[in-house]
Amino acid sequence: MKTANHKDSPLNLEGYLKIALGQIQKQSQNYSSTQNARTYSYQILIELIKEQIANETMSTTTSQAR
Amino acid sequence: MKLCLLQLARLGDIFQTAPAINAYKRNNPDHHITLIVRNKFAEAAHLLTNVDEIIELPSAYILKPLIQDQSDTTTTIERLENWLVDISNQQFDKVINLSFSPLTSWITSFLEQNANQPLSICGYSRTTDGYLSIPDDMSAYVYAQVGWDRSNRFHLNEIFGTLMGVDLEDQDWSLVDLKPFNFSFDFSANGYLAIQIRASTDEKSIPVNKISVLLNQLKPFTQIPIVLMGASSDQEYAEQIINSSSYPKLFNLVGKTNLVESAAIIKYAALLLAPDSSLQNLASLTQTKTLLVACGPVNFWETGPRALGSMILNYGLPEDINVDELTSTVVALLNHTIPLTPGYLTVKGNPCYQAHLLNQEAPFAWSLIRSIYQGAELPAIIPVQFQLAVEKLNDVNQFTIELLEQIQNGSNLNEKAPFLERANEIIMAIYDLCEEVKPIIDWFNTEKLRIGPGSDQDVLNQTLKCHQLLNELCHYVLDHNKKMTTANIGAGL
C-alpha cells in the first residue's frame, strides 16, 4: 500500500480525515444493531476524528456533548 | 481503591482539575489515582502533585494509518482497541469522567461495559442503546447550565471537586515544587510583571497594539521588569510589541520556555496579566496574583483566577478593552492597592468573585439557577417577560401531563404522539423567545434526557414525573410572584 506524505499530497490532513470519517461511519453501521466492543471502538474513533477535523481539542466549557 | 480520571480537554482544564485531585488525595491518601490525558497535553499532568499514574491518549499514533491515499482503518481500529483494552485491564474501581465531550462519554461507556468487576461511574457515559447517559446530578448541572454562553457562576474547580466528592481547601491549589527560572538577567527584589500576550483564539486575546500602548503608558508609573510569555506561534506578535514599545526593561520569552519553565516564571511573578488561557489557570495553582482580561466567549465565573488579590476586567470584545483602565489596574495591583476600575475581585467562597465598583445584584438567571438547584429564594422582583413565559410553560405542561395520564390510562400512544410533539415544540418556542426562562427549560430537558432505556411503561412513568416536577417549579414561581405582588400592594397600602 502506498503511503503518502500528507504534506505533499493534494489532500491535506483534514481531507484524509474527512474521507476516513465517511468510510468509518459507513462501516460502523454494521455494528450499530448490537452492542459489542467494536461498536464502542467505532464510536470513539468517529468522535476522535471529528475533534481532529475541527482542529481543536475543546475546553471543558466548550466541548459539551449537547 | 483504583480511581481513573478522564481529563481529555486542554491544558487549562488539566490545571483546573488539580485542586480536586489534591483534595481527593488529602482525603484518601491510600487511593491510587490514574489520570488519562491527551499526549499533546501530558506535560501539564506531570506538574500535578497527587497523580500516581498518567496514561496518554496517543491520538496522532492512532489516526496516522488514516492519513494516506488508502485509509488503513483496520490498523487504526487495532491501535485504538489495544489502547482501550490496556486501560480496561487496569481494573479500576471507579471512573470519573471530568470532560464533558462525546468522545469521553464513549470511552467511559467502553470501560463500563468491559469491566470484569463492579465499576462505579461518574460523569458522562452512554446508555445501552448508545444515547448520552448522565448518571450524576453534578454532570446534569453541567449539561444544563455550564458554558460560556450560560449563566452559571460556580467555578470549574468546585464543579470538578463535587464530581470527585470532595470539598476544596486553600492548600489544594498547589503544584509540584518549582525552582525560580534561571533568567539571564537580574531582576529587582520586587519581582516582575509577566504578560501572556495571546489566548488560544483572536476573540479571547488582548490585541497586540493595545499591549504596546499599555507598556508605553506603564513607563511613567513603574520600572518593574516585564516578561512577555507565549507559545512559539506567538513570536511574531511579541516582535510587534517590542518594536512599538519603549518600555526599558522588556524581556521576550515568547516561545522560549517549556511548560515547567513557564510555571516557574509565573510562580515568582509579582503579577500575571493574561487573557483567558492555560497560564492564567496555572497561576491559580502557583497562587500568583493575576489580572484576567476576559473578552469573547469566556465565562470568567467558571475559569477565572483563584489567587486572592486577583482581578478580572470583563469586556465584550477585544476592541472594547480600555487600555487606560488596564494601565491603572496593573499599577494598582503592583502597588498592592485596590484598583479604581470596575471589575471583579477574587474572593473566598463560592461563587468566588465579587463585583467591584459595579452593580452587586446578581442577574435574574443566576438567582433562578440557585433557586432550581439549591432551593434559594427567588428575587422579590420577577421580570414581566419571565412571568409570562412561565405562565405559557405551565399551560403547555399541564396539557402534556393530561396527555401522558391519558396514555397511562390506556389511550393509544400513536394517536397522542403528534400532540406531545407539538407541546414540545411550543416549549422550545418559549425557550427561544424568553432569555430569562432558559435555565428552567435547560434543567427540564436535561432531566428528560436522563431517562434511560426501559419498557414503554417505565419511560412513560419517568416522563410524567419530569413534567410533574416542572409543574411544581412553575407553580412555585407563579405563587412566589403572586405572594410578592400581594406583599407589595400591602406595603403600598
Side-chain angles (χ1 to χ4, degrees):
Chain A
M1 189 181 294
K2 183 184 163 212
T3 303
N5 178 342
H6 71 81
K7 286 177 184 168
D8 301 332
S9 166
L11 280 177
N12 59 15
L13 185 66
E14 185 182 328
Y16 281 117
L17 288 173
K18 280 184 176 170
I19 290 170
L21 179 62
Q23 290 172 352
I24 290 161
Q25 282 174 327
K26 206 171 171 184
Q27 288 171 24
S28 73
Q29 288 168 2
N30 298 330
Y31 295 93
S32 58
S33 57
T34 53
Q35 288 291 306
N36 58 26
R38 187 49 60 86
T39 313
Y40 289 92
S41 309
Y42 271 107
Q43 291 301 331
I44 291 166
L45 186 54
I46 286 167
E47 296 303 335
L48 195 56
I49 295 172
K50 282 182 184 171
E51 286 187 359
Q52 293 292 322
I53 289 172
N55 194 26
E56 186 65 71
T57 306
M58 298 295 185
S59 65
T60 299
T61 54
T62 53
S63 63
Q64 284 271 27
R66 285 186 181 121
Chain B
M1 167 78 169
K2 289 187 76 178
L3 174 67
C4 172
L5 302 174
L6 268 172
Q7 181 46 284
L8 293 179
R10 299 161 73 168
L11 282 179
D13 302 281
I14 294 172
F15 293 136
Q16 295 198 90
T17 308
I21 294 175
N22 293 339
Y24 185 90
K25 199 69 167 184
R26 182 165 46 73
N27 291 331
N28 307 284
D30 300 334
H31 290 195
H32 185 275
I33 300 176
T34 299
L35 179 64
I36 302 182
V37 295
R38 291 172 191 273
N39 56 355
K40 189 178 173 184
F41 303 128
E43 202 182 355
H46 287 281
L47 287 170
L48 309 192
T49 320
N50 285 307
V51 175
D52 298 298
E53 186 182 2
I54 296 165
I55 294 179
E56 300 179 17
L57 168 65
S59 312
Y61 168 75
I62 290 169
L63 297 178
K64 197 177 176 190
L66 303 178
I67 315 302
Q68 53 189 345
D69 289 341
Q70 297 293 321
S71 288
D72 182 1
T73 312
T74 310
T75 305
T76 288
I77 285 281
E78 265 174 29
R79 289 181 178 186
L80 176 62
E81 287 183 345
N82 287 340
W83 183 78
L84 288 166
V85 168
D86 280 350
I87 296 172
S88 196
N89 286 344
Q90 297 238 3
Q91 301 193 320
F92 294 112
D93 299 296
K94 184 167 188 174
V95 173
I96 303 178
N97 180 2
L98 298 168
S99 304
F100 301 94
S101 65
L103 173 68
T104 54
S105 68
W106 281 107
I107 295 174
T108 306
S109 189
F110 175 91
L111 297 175
E112 193 175 11
Q113 296 300 321
N114 291 278
N116 295 321
Q117 61 188 73
L119 177 65
S120 166
I121 293 288
C122 180
Y124 289 7
S125 184
R126 291 277 153 180
T127 59
T128 51
D129 56 0
Y131 282 88
L132 185 66
S133 163
I134 309 179
D136 59 284
D137 291 341
M138 191 70 240
S139 296
Y141 177 80
V142 171
Y143 185 89
Q145 312 296 351
V146 171
W148 67 267
D149 55 346
R150 310 259 162 153
S151 300
N152 168 54
R153 289 189 167 195
F154 291 129
H155 200 282
L156 276 183
N157 289 153
E158 274 74 19
I159 288 174
F160 289 142
T162 305
L163 279 167
M164 293 183 65
V166 290
D167 290 326
L168 307 183
E169 295 181 2
D170 291 349
Q171 59 182 301
D172 297 323
W173 275 267
S174 64
L175 278 181
V176 294
D177 282 340
L178 294 163
K179 288 179 184 160
F181 183 73
N182 188 18
F183 290 106
S184 57
F185 32 83
D186 285 335
F187 279 151
S188 67
N190 293 329
Y192 47 89
L193 165 65
I195 300 180
Q196 185 178 10
I197 63 166
R198 297 273 301 165
S200 56
T201 61
D202 285 344
E203 57 190 342
K204 294 204 282 188
S205 298
I206 309 169
V208 287
N209 63 322
K210 297 206 177 208
I211 296 178
S212 300
V213 175
L214 166 72
L215 297 181
N216 291 332
Q217 290 191 174
L218 281 174
K219 206 163 65 168
F221 298 101
T222 179
Q223 277 79 51
I224 193 168
I226 294 179
V227 178
L228 301 183
M229 302 179 71
S232 318
S233 54
D234 300 333
Q235 279 172 336
E236 66 171 291
Y237 299 107
E239 292 299 324
Q240 285 176 37
I241 292 168
I242 287 164
N243 290 338
S244 55
S245 167
S246 56
Y247 195 85
K249 294 179 184 172
L250 192 54
F251 301 98
N252 177 14
L253 292 183
V254 173
K256 295 172 186 167
T257 53
N258 60 31
L259 197 56
V260 177
E261 290 167 334
S262 298
I265 291 168
I266 288 171
K267 180 172 181 178
Y268 295 96
L271 177 70
L272 170 69
L273 167 64
D276 185 61
S277 62
S278 55
L279 292 190
Q280 182 264 122
N281 300 137
L282 198 152
S284 295
L285 300 177
T286 57
Q287 303 193 5
T288 305
K289 188 160 67 174
T290 300
L291 172 57
L292 167 64
V293 181
C295 55
V298 173
N299 180 351
F300 67 82
W301 295 93
E302 295 171 351
T303 58
R306 298 301 297 262
L308 291 179
S310 296
M311 188 171 181
I312 298 155
L313 298 182
N314 190 33
Y315 299 99
L317 297 166
E319 51 265 40
D320 299 335
I321 294 170
N322 182 323
V323 184
D324 293 340
E325 285 183 353
L326 207 51
T327 307
S328 65
T329 310
V330 168
V331 172
L333 291 176
L334 286 173
N335 291 333
H336 307 287
T337 56
I338 303 288
L340 296 174
T341 39
Y344 295 84
L345 297 170
T346 301
V347 292
K348 286 194 177 199
N350 192 13
C352 54
Y353 303 109
Q354 190 175 65
H356 172 64
L357 304 176
L358 289 167
N359 182 4
Q360 298 275 345
E361 199 178 328
F364 179 75
W366 171 237
S367 302
L368 179 61
I369 288 172
R370 292 201 55 231
S371 182
I372 296 169
Y373 291 90
Q374 295 187 310
E377 274 281 315
L378 278 172
I381 298 169
I382 285 180
V384 176
Q385 64 274 24
F386 172 74
Q387 153 89 13
L388 292 171
V390 174
E391 283 173 8
K392 296 288 175 206
L393 188 60
N394 187 46
D395 288 346
V396 72
N397 189 48
Q398 290 286 359
F399 173 67
T400 309
I401 288 173
E402 284 168 23
L403 287 172
L404 293 171
E405 284 174 345
Q406 286 168 20
I407 297 166
Q408 216 171 28
N409 293 328
S411 291
N412 188 312
L413 172 63
N414 291 334
E415 280 175 17
K416 303 292 179 191
F419 298 104
L420 288 170
E421 281 172 22
R422 181 72 188 129
N424 201 42
E425 284 169 15
I426 295 170
I427 289 175
M428 291 320 293
I430 295 169
Y431 183 90
D432 290 336
L433 286 169
C434 180
E435 194 66 31
E436 286 82 358
V437 83
K438 285 182 174 177
I440 291 183
I441 299 178
D442 284 327
W443 161 80
F444 169 67
N445 283 337
T446 305
E447 291 309 304
K448 277 212 300 184
L449 185 90
R450 293 178 77 184
I451 298 171
S455 67
D456 285 353
Q457 196 57 47
D458 283 345
V459 173
L460 177 63
N461 290 344
Q462 288 188 64
T463 306
L464 184 58
K465 198 175 160 194
C466 281
H467 283 275
Q468 286 164 342
L469 284 172
L470 178 60
N471 182 52
E472 281 177 31
L473 185 55
C474 288
H475 279 278
Y476 167 71
V477 170
L478 297 173
D479 291 348
H480 170 84
N481 198 38
K482 209 182 289 173
K483 201 166 64 186
M484 287 300 161
T485 309
T486 311
N488 288 341
I489 292 168
L493 287 173

